[in-house]
Amino acid sequence: MISLALDGPADAVPLALLEDLKADLNIMDDSSDARLTRLLLDASSMALAYIGQPILSGLWTEEIVIERPDRLKQIVLSARPLLSIQSLTRNGAEWTADQIEDLVIDRKAGLLSCPQAEWHHWKFGQYVLTYQAGYVPPSVAPDGTVQAGTLPPVVSRAVILTASALWAGGDRDPNLKSESVQGVGSTSWATASGTGGMPQSAADMLAPFRG
């Protein structure tokens, strides 16, 4: 199976609330809101890059090619959790709503199993799926009401930890715990490598979501 294309939401959005970050940093005024908002976006981008697969809610289009020798029982969608399938075609032929309804679906894992009554495995060909999938981050409505969203709170917490580290470190790497001065020549690091610039505790929180 070859996934050739995946289109979905591209706009950067914060994965945690500004007020939650300010509460963690014990900041009571609004004078630093612009910088904190930027740090939240930076931390959110780090988290998404570390996770390495689409998790934000959107309408996705995915093109999948199944070669003739393949005998796949399941198609694994790139974006999940799966909310609904809008359309599905095979070699340009549109599937009916009833055919889509007959699919065996694991929404959380984004797995599509072929209709057991008709096929023992997915037939070879080019499939194009349009589907709604992903989590909705928390947000604040224009009237000030907090919208909880559907994003697992642990993801937002990891973003807040990362943004807090960026705030505390200024322009330094958030993993840097100490730094020598005037020729001492030594540094110490708070995390192992491979966290994408995030504190190790934040990376650990996001590990279950990695692709």
Side-chain angles (χ1 to χ4, degrees):
M1 183 180 73
I2 305 171
S3 180
L4 298 180
L6 182 66
D7 299 317
D11 294 340
V13 295
L15 303 186
L17 295 174
L18 175 62
E19 291 306 314
D20 289 341
L21 174 59
K22 291 172 69 174
D24 259 36
L25 295 173
N26 197 29
I27 295 175
M28 309 303 293
D29 61 70
D30 299 336
S31 61
S32 300
D33 280 9
R35 183 184 174 207
L36 291 171
T37 298
R38 176 177 59 79
L39 293 180
L40 269 180
L41 286 172
D42 289 346
S44 298
S45 295
M46 289 179 183
L48 291 175
Y50 183 74
I51 290 171
Q53 66 181 21
I55 64 167
L56 294 184
S57 178
L59 189 63
W60 301 87
T61 298
E62 187 165 4
E63 183 178 350
I64 297 167
V65 174
I66 298 178
E67 305 292 350
R68 187 180 291 271
D70 295 337
R71 299 180 66 83
L72 297 177
K73 291 185 177 297
Q74 293 178 322
I75 287 176
V76 182
L77 298 178
S78 298
R80 45 192 182 269
L82 174 65
L83 302 178
S84 63
I85 297 176
Q86 308 297 315
S87 65
L88 172 59
T89 65
R90 174 176 177 262
N91 296 332
E94 188 88 20
W95 281 35
T96 67
D98 287 342
Q99 287 177 303
I100 294 175
E101 183 68 25
D102 286 341
L103 291 171
V104 180
I105 299 174
D106 182 334
R107 296 183 182 277
K108 184 177 180 179
L111 298 177
L112 303 182
S113 297
C114 56
Q116 299 299 316
E118 299 181 24
W119 301 352
H120 296 294
H121 54 83
W122 287 95
K123 295 180 179 178
F124 70 91
Q126 179 191 51
Y127 293 83
V128 178
L129 298 97
T130 300
Y131 58 97
Q132 191 79 28
Y135 297 109
V136 178
S139 61
V140 178
D143 64 0
T145 303
V146 174
Q147 309 292 327
T150 60
L151 187 71
V154 68
V155 176
S156 295
R157 185 63 193 155
V159 168
I160 288 174
L161 287 176
T162 302
S164 296
L166 292 171
W167 170 268
D171 292 330
R172 298 186 312 160
D173 189 310
N175 292 329
L176 185 61
K177 183 167 61 176
S178 64
E179 191 172 30
S180 63
V181 294
Q182 295 299 320
V184 175
S186 66
T187 58
S188 62
W189 298 85
T191 74
S193 61
T195 64
M198 297 182 299
Q200 185 66 58
S201 57
D204 289 344
M205 291 179 181
L206 298 178
F209 300 92
R210 298 194 75 184

